[in-house]
Amino acid sequence: MYAYVGSRTTRERNARGEGISIFKVDIATGTLTPVDVVRDLFNPSYLALSATGDFLYAVHGDGHEVSAFAVDRVTGGLHFINRQDTQGRNPVHLALDPTGRFVMVTNHLGASLVVLPVDANGSLGAVEQLVMFEGPIGPHRVEQKQAKPHFSPFDPSGRFVVVPDKGLDRVFSYRFKDGRLQPAAMPFAAAREGAGPRHLAFHPGAPYAYVINELDSTVTACHFSTATGELTPFQVLPSLPDTFTGNSRAAGIQVDASGRFVYASNRGYDSIAVFTIDPATGALHFVEAAPTQGRTPRFFSLSPDGRFMFALNEDSDSIVTLAVDADTGVLRPTGASVPSGSPVCMVFSS
């Protein structure tokens, strides 16, 4: 198994990354072994692999482009295919539709979501649709000066795209059909003022979705209608322990494959919060916030088998392996860590 790690590379970001790093993954121990680095890339800050594992796509944060690469399934190597303009500034996330024929890119400062076609050879076509985000801005005088969409995942059925917007304190829902986006019947769910919705994770087998709110470090649990794409919030709780009184910003969120646990990352109180999911209601219960053994875990990822958690510590240039307790979901250091300059995203290919 190989892991691909995107990074920040620019002086403006005070970055130390070199590009897209390739690691060999020991699935028995969670140990990462460096294999190669694809250099001379501008902030390849978020990555997505095709369902077949044959192609990898990267957005170039703070820029305005998305790139396609072919994956060598034997060596794990990447070979550049082409690059397209995203028609907006600072693309921060991308997701492939279930057919693999389209890619969705979120322009954070461009306040837009775009759809690009994907050819059978993995190459990207020019933008075919652009959707702008508009609405009343939130009260945070620095972070909420405009619409700021930050994430655009497909729901498990592949029929809806959901977009948390940090600037508008809203989570938007779109129906996706035949390569086109249309607002869902209920086009958005409102978050608390100043919450700053950032990322979202769907439950793998029940109609729930969980939103991580960056600015107030909370998680919102929502009912999700698989028929209409409507989100209905029903619970909000902190991602931080009540004994922490300092400043922190939340970042990523993930539901484990069993649907029993939710994980969320905190930057400031550098940790991964662990929640259990009530199977009857979808409600969350805070368990702990496990230290990531480094600074600013902007991103984290569970291994495909769920046995390990990889915490990407952006400001201390490390990827730390944590063991996942299968019964409780709690995280414990394994002692394994690998240097990686300004790591901000990680995906796996078998």
Side-chain angles (χ1 to χ4, degrees):
M1 178 188 298
Y2 294 98
Y4 299 89
V5 175
S7 68
R8 298 287 190 186
T9 62
T10 60
R11 181 176 299 176
E12 290 77 12
R13 287 280 181 167
N14 190 30
R16 298 153 302 281
E18 297 181 282
I20 300 175
S21 298
I22 306 170
F23 295 90
K24 186 75 172 179
V25 184
D26 186 326
I27 58 174
T29 64
T31 302
L32 303 174
T33 302
V35 173
D36 197 7
V37 180
V38 181
R39 295 178 170 84
D40 300 321
L41 297 175
F42 183 91
N43 287 339
S45 53
Y46 211 95
L47 312 176
L49 275 163
S50 65
T52 63
D54 293 321
F55 306 108
L56 182 139
Y57 301 90
V59 291
H60 299 280
D62 296 337
H64 54 87
E65 293 179 314
V66 55
S67 293
F69 300 85
V71 177
D72 187 316
R73 301 299 297 278
V74 176
T75 68
L78 299 177
H79 306 283
F80 177 75
I81 299 174
N82 78 328
R83 187 170 294 148
Q84 289 286 356
D85 196 293
T86 66
Q87 297 186 14
R89 287 194 301 131
N90 194 16
V92 291
H93 182 254
L94 74 168
L96 288 154
D97 83 302
T99 71
R101 295 169 49 224
F102 300 95
V103 64
M104 220 68 51
V105 177
T106 310
N107 290 310
H108 186 53
L109 295 183
S112 62
L113 180 64
V114 295
V115 181
L116 297 90
V118 179
D119 196 76
N121 66 2
S123 64
L124 293 164
V127 169
E128 289 190 345
Q129 185 183 14
L130 184 148
V131 174
M132 297 296 298
F133 293 87
E134 297 178 339
I137 62 173
H140 197 292
R141 63 183 184 180
V142 175
E143 293 286 358
Q144 295 184 310
K145 294 181 178 180
Q146 65 167 76
K148 288 185 174 181
H150 212 294
F151 203 57
S152 52
F154 284 86
D155 81 305
S157 76
R159 295 186 296 119
F160 296 98
V161 176
V162 179
V163 187
D165 191 303
K166 186 172 78 173
L168 303 182
D169 287 328
R170 291 177 174 179
V171 182
F172 292 87
S173 292
Y174 292 90
R175 185 179 293 275
F176 185 75
K177 185 177 181 181
D178 299 327
R180 303 291 295 180
L181 294 162
Q182 293 290 338
M186 291 295 292
F188 66 86
R192 282 178 176 171
E193 289 187 353
R198 178 184 172 94
H199 281 198
L200 176 146
F202 287 99
H203 191 284
Y208 307 122
Y210 302 94
V211 181
I212 185 74
N213 300 304
E214 176 180 338
L215 301 181
D216 68 358
S217 296
T218 61
V219 175
T220 302
C222 303
H223 295 291
F224 177 74
S225 171
T226 56
T228 67
E230 180 181 359
L231 286 162
T232 307
F234 67 89
Q235 183 192 28
V236 178
L237 70 169
S239 63
L240 299 165
D242 58 13
T243 54
F244 178 71
T245 60
N247 293 316
S248 191
R249 294 281 184 89
I253 191 164
Q254 188 171 353
V255 182
D256 82 310
S258 74
R260 295 185 297 148
F261 309 110
V262 168
Y263 299 94
S265 62
N266 298 302
R267 300 170 294 174
Y269 187 74
D270 297 319
S271 59
I272 306 294
V274 182
F275 302 87
T276 57
I277 301 173
D278 185 321
T281 67
L284 300 180
H285 172 72
F286 179 82
V287 177
E288 67 166 1
T292 61
Q293 315 291 309
R295 299 195 314 275
T296 322
R298 177 185 177 91
F299 189 91
F300 66 91
S301 184
L302 287 163
S303 61
D305 63 7
R307 295 177 57 219
F308 299 102
M309 172 82 72
F310 297 93
L312 279 62
N313 294 305
E314 180 180 5
D315 289 336
S316 55
D317 302 326
S318 66
I319 302 175
V320 172
T321 305
L322 306 170
V324 180
D325 187 294
D327 296 321
T328 66
V330 300
L331 306 172
R332 294 294 179 261
T334 65
S337 177
V338 63
S340 184
S342 303
V344 293
C345 185
M346 185 180 201
V347 294
F348 300 93
S349 177
S350 59

